Amino acid sequence: MTMVRIPPPALPVRDRRAARALSPMLTRLAEERATGVLVREHGVLYLAEGRVVHAESPLAPDLGVLLTAHGTLAATAWQRAAAQAPDPAQAPDPAQAAEALLRSGVLPTGALELCHLDALYDAGYFALAPSGTPGRFRYGAGPRLGPLPSVPVVALERETLRRRLLLHRLWPDPAADSAPLIRADPAPGPAAALSVTPRQRAVLDRVDGVRTAADLARDLGRQAFHTLVDVRRLTAAGWIAPVPADPAPPPAPPPRPVTTDPDIALLKRLRDALEAL
């Protein structure tokens, strides 16, 4: 039997560049086994000995939302764990809260570790998004290799690139990822309605012209990337669309020329005098 090797699909041009240097700073930090916090435009990565131990992004629900949204953990249990931070004046640290849950035994270890990795890869995807703002790294203590699983930098980068390619295949225009979403007009016909899955229906029912994909993810208690998948599929099917940007105001009319020719000025005065008769 002849074996035929099928080459992997090519990344879009932008993603091929990203594959060569997704984040040179992050690669260097992994090589030197750095510990600290990498702050980027759309998120933060916490490193310990060159591995990613935690990630946060304003575009992705945090670990507490993912744990409590569907009854995996009671909200009161998460609040008690988050309140055990060393400094009460600081905001709750999801990583420390997760460790407190492990110590208390209120949640199976496997479920917590899986949810932790889901949150890490979800926020890490947005933290590694293309940006025109350079990242900043703060060396120092803080993050550490605790009982929760960490991931190598190369694994996070590889998964981020895989997710970018998937979204590009579903719908190449990223406008719906960050803009408020509206129901498409006109709506698709009855045949299209049959293709909407229950997960997509939950997204579609919450589209109101105000919420973005990140807002929908928090409302649903789902990973933001999975919500983006549903949003792009619904956009490709014509069910939803990003709110159109406001049109640019028309350019101001050019100023009227000021007449300085004395002959023309005289003619205007004569015209005004005749009109006054």
Side-chain angles (χ1 to χ4, degrees):
M1 180 183 295
T2 302
M3 300 296 292
V4 179
R5 181 179 178 83
I6 301 175
L11 287 166
V13 173
R14 181 179 298 178
D15 286 338
R16 288 205 299 271
R17 296 195 194 104
R20 291 196 294 268
L22 188 60
S23 174
M25 177 186 289
L26 184 58
T27 300
R28 174 177 57 80
L29 293 169
E31 291 173 349
E32 68 181 50
R33 296 176 62 85
T35 295
V37 181
L38 176 59
V39 180
R40 290 173 57 88
E41 182 178 3
H42 301 294
V44 179
L45 299 176
Y46 295 80
L47 303 182
E49 300 178 17
R51 295 174 65 89
V52 183
V53 296
H54 181 56
E56 296 175 358
S57 171
L59 300 176
D62 62 21
L63 179 60
V65 173
L66 297 181
L67 281 172
T68 59
H70 304 289
T72 303
L73 180 72
T76 54
W78 173 258
Q79 293 166 1
R80 285 195 300 268
Q84 297 182 27
D87 185 355
Q90 294 181 350
D93 184 340
Q96 292 177 349
E99 292 185 22
L101 290 173
L102 282 178
R103 292 192 300 269
S104 65
V106 299
L107 192 67
T109 301
L112 179 57
E113 291 179 348
L114 181 61
C115 203
H116 163 72
L117 288 174
D118 286 344
L120 189 156
Y121 278 110
D122 198 36
Y125 169 81
F126 296 99
L128 290 177
S131 169
T133 304
R136 307 185 310 278
F137 187 73
R138 299 196 300 265
Y139 287 90
R144 58 186 176 80
L145 289 173
L148 292 174
S150 59
V151 299
V153 164
V154 65
L156 178 59
E157 291 184 325
R158 183 168 56 243
E159 177 61 14
T160 297
L161 290 172
R162 185 193 71 82
R163 295 183 178 202
R164 286 186 192 174
L165 177 57
L166 173 60
L167 291 179
H168 182 84
R169 285 171 170 170
L170 294 175
W171 184 251
D173 186 356
D177 293 358
S178 55
L181 300 170
I182 56 174
R183 298 285 289 264
D185 185 24
L194 298 176
S195 63
V196 176
T197 66
R199 282 184 57 89
Q200 294 168 356
R201 173 59 61 184
V203 171
L204 189 59
D205 289 344
R206 288 166 173 79
V207 170
D208 58 2
V210 177
R211 292 183 176 99
T212 64
D215 297 328
L216 295 173
R218 290 189 183 87
D219 289 347
L220 293 166
R222 297 176 183 172
Q223 296 176 49
F225 173 76
H226 291 174
T227 304
L228 286 184
V229 169
D230 291 329
V231 164
R232 291 231 189 173
R233 282 178 170 154
L234 289 168
T235 304
W239 276 99
I240 62 176
V243 171
D246 293 333
R256 299 181 63 180
V258 178
T259 302
T260 57
D261 190 323
D263 294 334
I264 294 178
L266 176 60
L267 290 174
K268 285 185 175 182
R269 288 198 297 272
L270 290 174
R271 182 200 61 190
D272 295 339
L274 292 172
E275 291 178 349
L277 294 175

